[in-house]
Structure formats: structure tokens, C-alpha cells
Amino acid sequence: MEASILVTVRYTVKEGLRDTFYQQIVEQGIDTASRAEAGNYKYDYYYPLDSDRDICLLEIWSDAEAQKAHAETPHYQQLSKLKAAYVEQVQLKSYSIG
């Protein structure tokens, strides 16, 4: 059985735009659509305590194929457009779990 995939993402958002970036994710249904994907166990955003410009995302996928398929969805493409408009830096880490 293939291991699950844990993905952590930390976005550094342009000054003063973190809340707007997150609101756009919610209003466009990107978070809801991602949670509804086959193989998604967790997809949640968090504001870290150590920064007022960053927003973190925690994702858990059933396997590498499900995580790869996520990157091909229309809502992922919407997120890419939002990142281009709002995000200055992305730190992504992926782990095999289970």
C-alpha cells in the first residue's frame, strides 16, 4: 500500500493583503473544492503566530497520484492565478506518512 502524502505550504503574501488572499480562496470555493477531491484527507489554512504576512496550508492526500491529480484541477489553476497576484514567496514541503 502506498503511503499518504503530507504537504505543508507557507505563503508569504504581499504587505497588507493576507486577509484578502484568504478571502479570495474561500469566495472562489478553492478550499471547498480541494477538500471534495478524491483522495483528500485534509486541506486547511492557518495563520501562523510568528508572522502577519504569512498563511500556511496543511494538506494530506491518500497517495501521490491523488496529490498529483489535484494540480490538474480548475480550482488549482484559480489558486495559481491568486498566488501570482498576492504571493511573494512559497515554501513547500512534502512528506511520505503512514
Side-chain angles (χ1 to χ4, degrees):
M1 180 176 183
E2 191 170 352
S4 296
I5 305 296
L6 167 67
V7 179
T8 62
V9 186
R10 187 172 184 126
Y11 300 109
T12 301
V13 181
K14 294 175 183 175
E15 187 70 41
L17 295 177
R18 179 176 73 172
D19 290 342
T20 304
F21 175 59
Y22 179 66
Q23 288 170 352
Q24 288 296 310
I25 290 167
V26 172
E27 287 175 11
Q28 293 185 30
I30 294 167
D31 56 339
T32 303
S34 296
R35 287 185 197 107
E37 287 181 51
N40 181 265
Y41 296 150
K42 185 168 192 66
Y43 189 93
D44 290 313
Y45 287 89
Y46 302 92
Y47 287 173
L49 296 176
D50 63 348
S51 171
D52 62 355
R53 290 188 55 205
D54 290 358
I55 186 168
C56 298
L57 170 62
L58 178 67
E59 304 175 53
I60 300 177
W61 298 92
S62 59
D63 52 38
E65 289 78 26
Q67 197 268 331
K68 183 178 177 182
H70 169 64
E72 303 299 323
T73 62
H75 50 274
Y76 185 89
Q77 302 309 315
Q78 286 176 271
L79 179 60
S80 295
K81 290 177 185 176
L82 290 177
K83 289 189 298 188
Y86 293 102
V87 175
E88 291 182 348
Q89 181 179 1
V90 177
Q91 299 171 12
L92 184 140
K93 296 181 182 177
S94 182
Y95 307 89
S96 178
I97 58 173

